[in-house]
């Protein structure tokens, strides 16, 4: 059986989530019969070895860990290469036999489909064994890593080698730095918006050729990872949320560990307070006072990290106003809790906080601010291991508890969540109006409104999480209805998702309909040119090959 983590605790947590899934069905790649597939698997086995080919019951590790449809998106096999050369050899066979490959780094984008393929019967190409940290440059503040490198790995390297760098981490640290960046995920430090902090890429194209972007395209250049500029069109973006190639190495900028650090929390008591709070944050971004993105959650979301719902309320349905009031008192917060961080020399951190305090106290006078200032010891930078929060780039698994919120009191069931994350403008009234609409929609379906807002300098990522027990059919059916309702309302309002679950990729892509879907047609023309056999992740983000492989699902146009 393929292993996924050298850390026993992470390996156990992985198994605990995936082993609760319904058993896998035997499926074949589209248009390929059983005898042909056995021959193809034998060819793959000669490349990576038998122990790195996954079939049968072990394929449960390459399914959607949080499914609304238990039988959807099942792979036919998984291959786990350890090198670029093995990937090239796999691509040669896949091109010859027209085998669709679904690429995953570590497959930990839970809530969006995990490692499962868009097209049933695809062979999952899992890059988790390629886990080297290839370069760390403390002076210029960048790292170069392979797809299997996790946020825990990078943080551990920094500490073991006394490197004065921080890497912005997502809510769960067991995911891939490469995979999270390519899927437009983010961390919570200054460089947390990693899709805009890419230094360079190495990409294996569907033909097997290797492309390097930015100054990495200049052999032996001293500027290799210091500047992302190409000479001509900037092509890095073509490989974000993409099925145009396989990114095998990534250079990405990280944070210089600061001499002082301050965590800031803003508590707003009323639902309507989110509007002036958003506007205050936008003003502070325009002034360049804020450095990382602010994160706002409502009391439902915040309280889920401490206890399950049956401990908060026994009656069915969404949490009542009385229960919400008690939770606000218990956690000494408001309906909204906003956190962000300040970094740099002590004097500069204090000056930034003074400005934050002045702006928020004027625009949201009822808000309560908390702050904690921490300085490095003996002239050294701040030690983030002593703080342990997302704002200092300290990876953890704490947020995984959210998925268990709606489990029964008897300890049965298996927790899950599925997310819809929309791009909203950074305008307080728009965000408030949308929240009120979404809270009503989710509560009408009997679901609690789990809301999180990632506030950037001009836009908001508005996260709506449906948390459920994946063993209960009624929970899964409610989830399908909730998501369809949210996406329908978003289409009417003109809001698109920034990333999507597998089952909604076509629907989200259809929103980009300007000039008869010219964006999709343009990208699909590129795909037809560089992937004429359509083997790389057909259907990812609603981008399909022009040459159909077997009987692929019909596009939802």
């Amino acid at each position: 059986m393929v292993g996924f983590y050298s850390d026993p605790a992470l390996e156990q947590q992985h198994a605990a989530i995936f082993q609760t899934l319904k058993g896998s069905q035997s499926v074949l790649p589209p248009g390929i019969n059983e005898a042909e597939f056995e021959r193809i698997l034998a060819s793959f086995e000669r490349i990576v070895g038998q122990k790195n080919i996954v079939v049968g019951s072990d394929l449960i590790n390459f399914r959607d860990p949080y499914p609304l449809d238990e039988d959807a998106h099942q792979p036919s096999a998984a291959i786990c290469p350890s090198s670029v050369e093995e990937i090239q050899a796999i691509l040669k066979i896949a091109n010859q036999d027209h085998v669709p490959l679904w690429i995953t780094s570590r497959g930990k984008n839970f809530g969006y489909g995990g490692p499962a393929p868009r097209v049933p019967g695809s062979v999952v190409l899992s890059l988790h064994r390629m886990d080297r940290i290839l370069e760390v440059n403390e002076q210029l503040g960048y790292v170069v890593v392979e797809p299997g490198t996790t946020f825990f790995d990078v943080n551990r390297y920094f500490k073991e080698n006394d490197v004065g760098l921080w890497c912005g981490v997502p809510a769960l640290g067991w995911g891939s730095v490469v995979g999270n960046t390519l899927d437009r995920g983010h961390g919570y430090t200054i460089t947390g918006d990693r899709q805009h902090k890419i230094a360079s890429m190495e990409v294996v194209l569907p033909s097997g050729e290797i492309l390097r972007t930015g100054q990495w395209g200049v052999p032996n250049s001293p500027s290799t990872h210091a500047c992302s500029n190409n000479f001509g069109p900037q092509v890095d973006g073509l490989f974000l949320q993409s099925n145009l190639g396989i990114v095998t190495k990534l250079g990405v900028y990280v944070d210089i560990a600061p001499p002082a650090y301050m965590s800031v929390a803003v508590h707003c008591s009323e639902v309507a307070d989110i509007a002036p709070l958003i506007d205050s944050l936008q003003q502070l971004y325009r002034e360049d006072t804020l450095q990382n993105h602010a994160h706002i959650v409502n009391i439902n979301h915040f309280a889920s990290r401490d206890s399950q719902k049956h401990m908060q309320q026994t009656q069915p349905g969404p949490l009542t106003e009385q229960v919400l009031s008690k939770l606000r008192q218990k956690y000494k917060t408001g309906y909204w809790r906003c956190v962000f961080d300040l970094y740099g020399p002590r004097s500069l951190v204090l000056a930034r906080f003074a400005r934050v305090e002045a702006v928020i106290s004027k625009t949201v006078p009822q808000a309560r601010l908390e702050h904690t200032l921490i300085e490095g010891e003996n002239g050294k930078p701040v030690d983030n291991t002593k703080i342990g929060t997302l704002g200092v780039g300290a990876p953890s698994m704490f947020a995984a508890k959210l998925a268990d919120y709606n489990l029964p009191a008897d300890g049965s069931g298996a927790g899950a969540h599925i997310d819809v994350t929309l791009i909203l403008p950074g305008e307080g009234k728009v965000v408030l109006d949308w929240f009120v609409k979404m809270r009503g929609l989710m509560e009408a379906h009997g679901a609690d409104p789990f809301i999180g807002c990632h506030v950037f300098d001009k836009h908001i990522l508005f996260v709506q999480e449906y948390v459920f027990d994946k063993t209960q059919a009624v929970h899964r059916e409610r989830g399908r209805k909730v998501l369809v309702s949210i996406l329908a309302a978003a289409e009417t309002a003109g809001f698109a998702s920034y990333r999507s679950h597998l089952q909604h990729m076509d629907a989200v892509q259809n929103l980009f309909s300007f000039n008869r879907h010219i964006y999709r047609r343009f990208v699909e023309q590129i795909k037809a040119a560089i992937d004429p056999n359509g083997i790389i992740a057909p259907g990812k983000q609603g981008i399909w090959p022009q040459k159909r492989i077997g009987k692929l699902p019909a596009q939802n146009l």
Side-chain angles (χ1 to χ4, degrees), residues 297-536:
V297 296
N298 68 342
I299 184 61
N300 304 73
H301 195 297
F302 182 72
S304 69
R305 64 189 66 191
D306 185 57
S307 60
Q308 293 179 341
K309 185 173 181 177
H310 66 80
M311 301 171 66
Q312 300 169 356
Q313 176 175 297
T314 56
Q315 70 184 76
L319 294 180
T320 66
E321 288 299 325
Q322 292 78 9
V323 171
L324 291 174
S325 178
K326 290 179 180 178
L327 291 172
R328 289 159 64 174
Q329 293 174 16
K330 176 181 178 180
Y331 297 111
K332 297 180 173 59
T333 189
Y335 188 85
W336 300 107
R337 182 178 185 270
C338 171
V339 294
F340 52 88
D341 307 273
L342 305 171
Y343 312 82
R346 173 189 172 92
S347 58
L348 188 53
V349 169
L350 292 175
R352 288 183 185 275
F353 179 70
R355 182 56 182 160
V356 167
E357 200 170 30
V359 170
I360 292 180
S361 64
K362 181 179 179 180
T363 55
V364 200
Q366 64 275 33
R368 178 172 60 86
L369 273 72
E370 293 180 323
H371 67 282
T372 302
L373 176 67
I374 298 175
E375 296 183 80
E377 300 175 358
N378 302 317
K380 292 185 176 182
V382 174
D383 183 351
N384 64 351
T385 62
K386 295 182 178 180
I387 303 170
T389 62
L390 296 176
V392 298
S396 78
M397 294 296 293
F398 178 76
K401 294 167 60 177
L402 176 144
D404 295 336
Y405 179 71
N406 273 319
L407 296 186
D410 62 10
S412 63
H417 67 85
I418 189 167
D419 305 345
V420 175
T421 303
L422 303 173
I423 302 172
L424 273 60
E427 299 173 1
K429 184 178 186 304
V430 174
V431 175
L432 173 61
D433 289 347
W434 184 253
F435 167 74
V436 171
K437 185 180 184 68
M438 289 301 99
R439 180 180 61 175
L441 183 154
M442 296 186 77
E443 289 183 343
H445 285 285
D448 289 292
F450 276 62
I451 304 298
C453 295
H454 299 278
V455 184
F456 293 88
D457 63 351
K458 291 180 178 60
H459 72 281
I460 313 291
L461 295 182
F462 191 95
V463 186
Q464 297 148 256
E465 294 185 88
Y466 173 70
V467 183
F468 63 105
D469 178 355
K470 64 185 178 186
T471 67
Q472 294 193 34
V474 65
H475 281 212
R476 298 194 302 272
E477 178 59 26
R478 180 193 297 148
R480 286 190 284 269
K481 292 178 180 178
V482 168
L483 266 65
V484 167
S485 298
I486 291 174
L487 291 171
E491 180 176 9
T492 300
F495 298 142
S497 300
Y498 101 112
R499 65 205 284 201
S500 165
H501 190 277
L502 298 165
Q503 65 194 50
H504 302 126
M505 286 179 173
D506 284 345
V508 174
Q509 185 60 245
N510 285 343
L511 297 176
F512 294 83
S513 60
F514 171 76
N515 191 16
R516 298 179 295 112
H517 301 274
I518 183 63
Y519 170 80
R520 178 170 59 206
R521 291 188 285 117
F522 174 73
V523 179
E524 288 182 344
Q525 286 175 19
I526 296 175
K527 184 165 182 64
I530 67 174
D531 186 11
N533 294 315
I535 61 170
I536 301 294

Side-chain angles (χ1 to χ4, degrees), residues 197-342:
K197 303 296 180 181
I198 293 172
S200 49
M201 293 179 178
E202 178 185 90
V203 185
V204 180
L205 299 176
S207 65
E209 287 190 287
I210 298 173
L211 167 72
R212 286 179 171 174
T213 70
Q215 297 302 297
W216 208 358
V218 181
N220 304 314
S221 171
S223 306
T224 292
H225 305 294
C227 177
S228 64
N229 289 3
N230 287 110
F231 186 68
Q234 196 76 11
V235 299
D236 307 64
L238 288 174
F239 302 103
L240 298 178
Q241 297 183 344
S242 171
N243 57 7
L244 300 179
I246 302 170
V247 177
T248 51
K249 297 178 182 67
L250 180 75
V252 64
Y253 301 123
V254 294
D255 300 280
I256 307 299
Y261 157 83
M262 180 184 288
S263 62
V264 182
V266 184
H267 305 272
C268 296
S269 59
E270 304 301 326
V271 169
D273 290 341
I274 195 172
L277 175 60
I278 292 286
D279 293 338
S280 298
L281 296 172
Q282 290 300 308
Q283 179 182 342
L284 291 165
Y285 281 123
R286 289 193 300 271
E287 298 173 355
D288 208 23
T289 298
L290 294 188
Q291 298 166 280
N292 66 339
H293 86 266
H295 186 213
I296 305 173
V297 296
N298 68 342
I299 184 61
N300 304 73
H301 195 297
F302 182 72
S304 69
R305 64 189 66 191
D306 185 57
S307 60
Q308 293 179 341
K309 185 173 181 177
H310 66 80
M311 301 171 66
Q312 300 169 356
Q313 176 175 297
T314 56
Q315 70 184 76
L319 294 180
T320 66
E321 288 299 325
Q322 292 78 9
V323 171
L324 291 174
S325 178
K326 290 179 180 178
L327 291 172
R328 289 159 64 174
Q329 293 174 16
K330 176 181 178 180
Y331 297 111
K332 297 180 173 59
T333 189
Y335 188 85
W336 300 107
R337 182 178 185 270
C338 171
V339 294
F340 52 88
D341 307 273
L342 305 171

Side-chain angles (χ1 to χ4, degrees), residues 131-146 149-167 177 199-200 216 224-226 250-257:
D131 60 359
R132 293 179 299 165
I133 298 174
L134 300 167
E135 184 180 350
V136 175
N137 189 310
E138 185 173 8
Q139 181 177 358
L140 297 181
Y142 68 76
V143 299
V144 183
V145 296
E146 290 185 321
T149 306
T150 71
F151 293 95
F152 283 114
D153 294 334
V154 172
N155 190 64
R156 186 183 310 112
Y157 181 95
F158 288 167
K159 297 312 155 189
E160 290 178 352
N161 294 277
D162 196 26
V163 177
L165 297 174
W166 293 355
C167 177
V177 176
S200 49
W216 208 358
T224 292
H225 305 294
L250 180 75
V252 64
Y253 301 123
V254 294
D255 300 280
I256 307 299

